[in-house]
């Protein structure tokens, strides 16, 4: 019996190797792009874990969005900021009402004196009167602040209680 390895090859292997194209095939390119995309995604996940925000931002309260102050934001340009009050009003809770003067306690605990007149509009879910304002209710006051810090109330809006 003869050994099959002792027989010469019918095809010349070196000639076949020379004929073979150089470069990458379609499958290799597609697999390479897929691997790069996966590596980029995983890298992005690790970067987000390392440098991204650890908590979702909390929603600011409605008063902080309407009037800067309770959230540490800067007052509007030209506004007079004194403990929750601004050149155009104040936000807080009614401390008490004396005649035509309303005393509003701001978020930082300061009491702001709000003077009213016959033209001051008081809104308590619907239009109301000064007598409708109760201590402990939250209000938004719109008006001009004087040099002594007293706000000349143009509109006082009582906010619904939350919670």
């Amino acid at each position: 019996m003869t050994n099959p390895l002792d027989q010469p090859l019918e095809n010349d292997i070196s000639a076949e190797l020379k004929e073979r194209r150089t470069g990458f095939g379609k499958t290799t390119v597609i697999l390479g792009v897929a691997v790069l995309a996966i590596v980029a995604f995983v890298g992005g996940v690790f970067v987000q874990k390392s440098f991204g925000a650890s908590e979702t931002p909390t929603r600011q309260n409605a008063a902080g969005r309407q009037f800067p102050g309770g959230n540490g934001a800067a007052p509007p340009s030209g506004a007079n900021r004194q403990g929750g009050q601004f050149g155009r009003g104040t936000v807080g809770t009614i401390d008490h009402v004396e005649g035509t003067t309303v005393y509003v306690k701001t978020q930082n605990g300061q009491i702001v004196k709000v003077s009213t007149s016959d033209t001051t509009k008081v809104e308590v879910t619907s239009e109301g009167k000064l007598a409708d304002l109760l201590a402990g209710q939250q209000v938004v006051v719109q008006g001009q602040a004087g040099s002594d810090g007293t706000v000349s109330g143009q509109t006082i809006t009582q906010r619904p209680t939350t919670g």
Side-chain angles (χ1 to χ4, degrees), residues 20-158:
R20 185 137 170 101
R21 294 187 319 214
T22 58
F24 300 109
K26 281 185 183 178
T27 306
T28 305
V29 171
I30 292 172
L31 286 174
V33 169
V35 167
L36 283 175
I38 292 170
V39 168
F41 177 78
V42 172
V45 169
F46 284 117
V47 168
Q48 176 63 28
K49 279 186 177 182
S50 298
F51 299 108
S54 60
E55 297 179 12
T56 57
T58 58
R59 196 174 159 200
Q60 298 172 347
N61 65 21
R65 286 191 308 270
Q66 288 179 340
F67 299 101
N71 60 5
S77 164
N80 176 18
R81 179 176 179 181
Q82 296 175 350
Q85 73 186 51
F86 303 94
R88 297 210 36 110
T90 189
V91 176
T93 304
I94 295 175
D95 187 63
H96 64 282
V97 179
E98 280 183 11
T100 61
T101 304
V102 179
Y103 294 87
V104 177
K105 186 175 189 178
T106 62
Q107 287 181 343
N108 65 3
Q110 181 180 359
I111 303 294
V112 176
K113 180 180 172 183
V114 178
S115 64
T116 64
S117 67
D118 293 338
T119 61
T120 301
K121 183 171 33 168
V122 177
E123 298 172 355
V124 183
T125 309
S126 60
E127 195 161 321
K129 298 183 172 117
L130 284 176
D132 296 327
L133 299 176
L134 302 173
Q137 293 292 316
Q138 289 194 351
V139 293
V140 175
V141 177
Q142 294 176 331
Q144 194 64 34
S147 60
D148 65 348
T150 299
V151 175
S152 177
Q154 293 172 333
T155 303
I156 300 174
T157 304
Q158 182 173 328

